[in-house]
Amino acid sequence: IPRATMASRIFYLSLALLGALSVVFGGEVRVETQKAAPSGAPAVTRDHKYLSHVTLYIENEDGSKTPSGWSTRKEDGADVDRPFPFQPGVNLIEGWTEGVLQLKEGERALLHVPSEKGYGERSMGGPGQAFHIPANSDLLFDIEILGKEGEQEL
């Protein structure tokens, strides 16, 4: 298995497993729209699975961002564009679910997720690996909701 593919699988598994164990504390998820959804686009709900393009950054205290090494976009370092499938509330970190439930299909936004609603005191990956999220990191997801799984054109 190519290194990037293995790293993606490890990241997806870690996202799912650790999301189920996330501890809920304070801190608010903030959504910053980058591209508005088309007129009449349906809101994201817990009832469906969706496909998305995502690039994950570490959000620094000064507001700058540091690449984590994980993206589903070729333009941001992935080998190929490979949408990330998810269902809000199912095996995800709390901040991801809170953020995407504020979006509509076709919308692209930045989700600012405080550490407490991300991975908290757990680090993910490591320096020199395909991706790295240090413990206590605030996260910044650049996410575009492509549509419901099986309904969108890629």
Side-chain angles (χ1 to χ4, degrees):
I1 298 176
R3 182 176 178 202
T5 302
M6 180 60 80
S8 293
R9 288 182 182 168
I10 291 169
F11 183 81
Y12 291 153
L13 180 60
S14 298
L15 187 66
L17 293 175
L18 291 176
L21 301 174
S22 289
V23 178
V24 179
F25 290 107
E28 295 297 320
V29 173
R30 189 168 51 89
V31 176
E32 184 180 341
T33 299
Q34 301 297 298
K35 181 186 91 175
S39 179
V44 173
T45 70
R46 293 178 183 266
D47 300 328
H48 300 282
K49 289 184 179 179
Y50 298 88
L51 290 178
S52 61
H53 275 306
V54 186
T55 301
L56 173 60
Y57 300 94
I58 307 307
E59 188 164 28
N60 303 309
E61 288 183 25
D62 65 1
S64 64
K65 60 186 182 183
T66 302
S68 71
W70 182 72
S71 180
T72 67
R73 293 182 181 100
K74 186 174 183 177
E75 68 189 63
D76 290 333
D79 290 336
V80 296
D81 284 336
R82 181 167 300 151
F84 176 69
F86 73 93
Q87 183 169 355
V90 179
N91 299 323
L92 296 167
I93 59 173
E94 179 185 3
W96 174 287
T97 295
E98 281 186 28
V100 298
L101 288 175
Q102 298 178 51
L103 302 179
K104 293 182 177 182
E105 292 181 35
E107 186 172 359
R108 183 171 181 171
L110 298 176
L111 305 182
H112 301 266
V113 178
S115 172
E116 298 83 15
K117 292 188 177 184
Y119 297 106
E121 296 179 358
R122 299 176 301 267
S123 64
M124 300 291 297
Q129 295 183 6
F131 68 93
H132 181 225
I133 304 168
N136 301 308
S137 292
D138 291 334
L139 307 175
L140 177 63
F141 291 96
D142 176 349
I143 181 169
E144 181 175 8
I145 307 297
L146 301 175
K148 291 179 186 77
E149 191 172 50
E151 292 185 9
Q152 69 294 321
E153 294 180 26
L154 298 177

